[in-house]
């Protein structure tokens, strides 16, 4: 278990707080009423929780929204030890520290991988899952990342470690996709995204309850088309479970 404490005002009306999980400080922003149903947002590689500010503010009208700086990113600790599995385990500790037993989960790109790894290992803790421009875990051609000039808002060692896993996913990730029981929405960015469309349309073939919506905005869907992204997400999150839609 970790411990949570207040920090400061966050982005666009959110409140920034910190939680300690297994010796790692994770900073997160939170919006919405405490009694509202919980929704957790996980950012892409090289981003942080503040990337979600506009989306979170809109979703906070109905949900209690939590956006986390994953390890090696932004205001959270940069411990030097990185993997997508460690980020998944950090998410477990984060939810435990806040007393969140079951949440809806949205992940963009790398954050989507963390989200589906969590949903594989803890299917009972995910109500609904949204994967924003996230491909199924198949190998891809590895292009070594080039470090940008100047000071970075993330640990470059983290980028190197995580990119290796994204390029050559653990085969168990694929084998365990069937463990995901949450209704899943895969949002594709269309032809201008670097993610092959066929690797997103594969999700409904691999999961028991999944659908695909395309918003032709490229990889940064929620940033380029925030209103369209928010609308499809809200519609999905409000949709009753399949068993409620088709009573016996």
């Amino acid at each position: 278990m970790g411990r949570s404490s207040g920090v400061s005002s966050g982005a666009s009306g959110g409140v920034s707080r910190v939680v300690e999980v297994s010796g790692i400080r994770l900073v997160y922003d939170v919006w919405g009423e405490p009694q509202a149903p919980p929704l957790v947002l996980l950012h892409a590689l090289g981003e942080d929780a503040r990337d979600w500010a506009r989306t979170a503010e809109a979703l906070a009208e109905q949900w209690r929204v939590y956006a986390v700086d994953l390890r090696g990113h932004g205001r959270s600790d940069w411990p030097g030890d990185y993997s997508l599995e460690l980020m998944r385990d950090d998410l477990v500790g984060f939810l435990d520290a806040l007393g969140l037993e079951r949440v809806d989960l949205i992940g963009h790109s790398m954050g989507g991988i963390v989200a589906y790894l969590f949903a594989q290992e803890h299917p009972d803790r995910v109500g609904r899952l949204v994967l924003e421009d996230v491909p199924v875990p198949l190998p891809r051609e590895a292009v070594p990342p080039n470090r940008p000039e100047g000071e970075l808002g993330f640990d470059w060692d983290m980028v190197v470690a995580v990119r290796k896993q994204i390029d050559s996913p653990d085969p168990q990730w694929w084998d365990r996709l069937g463990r995901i029981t949450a209704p899943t929405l895969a949002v594709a960015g269309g032809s201008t995204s670097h993610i092959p469309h066929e690797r997103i349309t594969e999700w409904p073939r691999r999961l028991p309850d999944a659908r695909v919506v395309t918003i032709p905005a490229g990889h940064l869907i929620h940033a380029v088309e925030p209103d369209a992204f928010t609308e499809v997400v809200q519609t999905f999150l409000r949709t009753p479970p399949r068993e409620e839609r088709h009573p016996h």
Side-chain angles (χ1 to χ4, degrees):
M1 294 287 283
R3 62 179 186 273
S4 177
S5 62
V7 178
S8 62
S9 296
S12 295
V15 176
S16 294
R17 294 178 178 166
V18 62
V19 62
E20 187 173 313
V21 176
S22 302
I24 302 295
R25 290 176 69 259
L26 298 177
V27 175
Y28 66 99
D29 294 336
V30 58
W31 297 257
E33 296 298 326
Q35 67 272 20
L39 172 63
V40 176
L41 312 181
L42 302 177
H43 61 77
L45 181 66
E47 299 288 350
D48 60 41
R50 292 167 289 192
D51 175 63
W52 287 113
R54 179 169 176 176
T55 301
E57 196 169 65
L59 294 172
E61 294 178 6
Q62 288 187 274
W63 288 271
R64 176 72 163 175
V65 182
Y66 302 85
V68 190
D69 286 6
L70 296 167
R71 67 165 61 205
H73 291 83
R75 303 156 293 174
S76 290
D77 281 349
W78 300 10
D81 190 12
Y82 301 111
S83 73
L84 292 163
E85 291 88 352
L86 284 172
M87 293 179 184
R88 173 201 64 199
D89 295 345
D90 289 344
L91 178 59
V92 177
F94 173 80
L95 297 181
D96 288 348
L98 271 61
L100 301 174
E101 185 60 36
R102 183 179 171 90
V103 300
D104 291 330
L105 198 52
I106 300 177
H108 177 215
S109 198
M110 179 202 75
I113 301 176
V114 176
Y116 73 65
L117 292 179
F118 177 82
Q120 289 178 348
E121 295 301 313
H122 305 278
D124 57 325
R125 300 191 70 173
V126 182
R128 288 181 175 274
L129 179 63
V130 178
L131 302 175
E132 180 188 354
D133 221 37
V134 181
V136 291
L138 293 172
R140 68 181 189 182
E141 183 180 357
V143 178
N146 291 317
R147 188 190 187 284
E149 296 289 334
E151 187 175 348
L152 303 177
F154 50 88
D155 190 342
W156 186 250
D157 290 342
M158 177 275 305
V159 174
V160 174
V162 167
R163 275 287 299 272
K164 289 178 181 177
Q165 290 191 285
I166 295 173
D167 293 338
S168 299
D170 185 331
Q172 291 188 13
W173 298 359
W174 176 268
D175 295 340
R176 293 173 178 170
L177 289 179
R179 295 184 178 185
I180 298 173
T181 57
T184 301
L185 173 68
V187 185
S191 60
T192 57
S193 172
H194 69 279
I195 303 297
H197 190 69
E198 63 273 13
R199 293 204 172 186
I200 297 177
T201 56
E202 186 69 19
W203 283 113
R205 300 185 184 93
R206 301 296 159 189
L207 303 184
D209 184 2
R211 66 213 72 176
V212 176
V213 172
T214 300
I215 300 174
H219 188 55
L220 308 178
I221 305 168
H222 72 269
V224 175
E225 292 286 356
D227 294 340
F229 179 79
T230 301
E231 183 179 354
V232 299
V233 166
Q234 287 175 326
T235 299
F236 171 69
L237 294 178
R238 292 176 186 142
T239 303
R242 179 178 286 176
E243 60 271 19
E244 295 180 18
R245 299 199 304 268
H246 302 287
H248 296 293

